[in-house]
Amino acid sequence: MGVVIGETAEIGNNVTMYQGVVLGGTGNEKGKRHPTIRDNVMISAGAIILGAIEIGENSKIGAGSVVVKSVPPNCTVVGVPGRIVKQEGVKIKQKFLDHSNLPDPLAERLEKLSHEIDLIEEHMECWKKEHLQNKP
């Protein structure tokens, strides 16, 4: 799998691009429509960078990332869509999904149904007592 570089893309010095990288456009724009990659950037395998955006010097793009917004210098970008996870060597606080504590909608619904059944059974017991006591 090769690298795809759009015709208006600009690539700086000492740029490393691994297999499957795409520097593409986002449509039928006129003029500059592909990314500008500054010096000392590393773009990992399968990353896609789209549009007339700029990837700042010394930045790293993670494997499989899809970048559609410009990236400042000295950043690390990962994900789909690409998000900055490190800038100037400092980790950026992210709201990640806690996979060890995922909601279970089925269990929540079963618990609610169980509670409703308990209430219905209580009402039925009250109704039985009331109606059985009134019989001669």
Side-chain angles (χ1 to χ4, degrees), residues 112-122:
K112 184 176 179 182
L113 287 171
S114 178
H115 178 70
E116 289 176 5
I117 289 170
D118 290 343
L119 288 175
I120 291 169
E121 287 176 346
E122 285 178 28

Side-chain angles (χ1 to χ4, degrees), residues 3 13 15 33 38-39 47 49 64 83 100 103 114-115 136:
V3 173
N13 295 315
V15 171
R33 58 191 181 280
R38 297 292 177 204
D39 296 343
I49 303 173
R83 63 189 179 284
S100 64
S114 178
H115 178 70

Side-chain angles (χ1 to χ4, degrees), residues 1 9 11 34 38 52 66 68 78-79 81 103 106 115 122 125 134:
M1 180 189 269
I11 301 172
H34 298 96
R38 297 292 177 204
V66 178
V68 293
V78 299
L106 183 58
H115 178 70
E122 285 178 28
E125 287 300 315
N134 293 337

Side-chain angles (χ1 to χ4, degrees), residues 4-104:
V4 177
I5 300 174
E7 67 180 333
T8 63
E10 297 175 41
I11 301 172
N13 295 315
N14 196 32
V15 171
T16 302
M17 285 187 272
Y18 290 93
Q19 69 185 29
V21 167
V22 174
L23 304 181
T26 56
N28 297 326
E29 305 94 2
K30 300 285 186 213
K32 177 84 168 116
R33 58 191 181 280
H34 298 96
T36 298
I37 310 298
R38 297 292 177 204
D39 296 343
N40 306 311
V41 171
M42 182 195 68
I43 306 172
S44 298
I48 300 171
I49 303 173
L50 299 174
I53 62 174
E54 184 175 311
I55 306 301
E57 54 274 337
N58 307 310
S59 290
K60 298 174 186 171
I61 309 299
S65 297
V66 178
V67 183
V68 293
K69 293 181 181 176
S70 290
V71 176
N74 306 306
C75 289
T76 301
V77 175
V78 299
V80 179
R83 63 189 179 284
I84 298 170
V85 294
K86 193 182 272 189
Q87 188 168 13
E88 301 290 343
V90 177
K91 286 185 179 181
I92 305 294
K93 212 168 188 176
Q94 300 285 322
K95 284 189 172 182
F96 286 111
L97 185 59
D98 179 7
H99 292 282
S100 64
N101 192 22
L102 291 174
D104 186 348

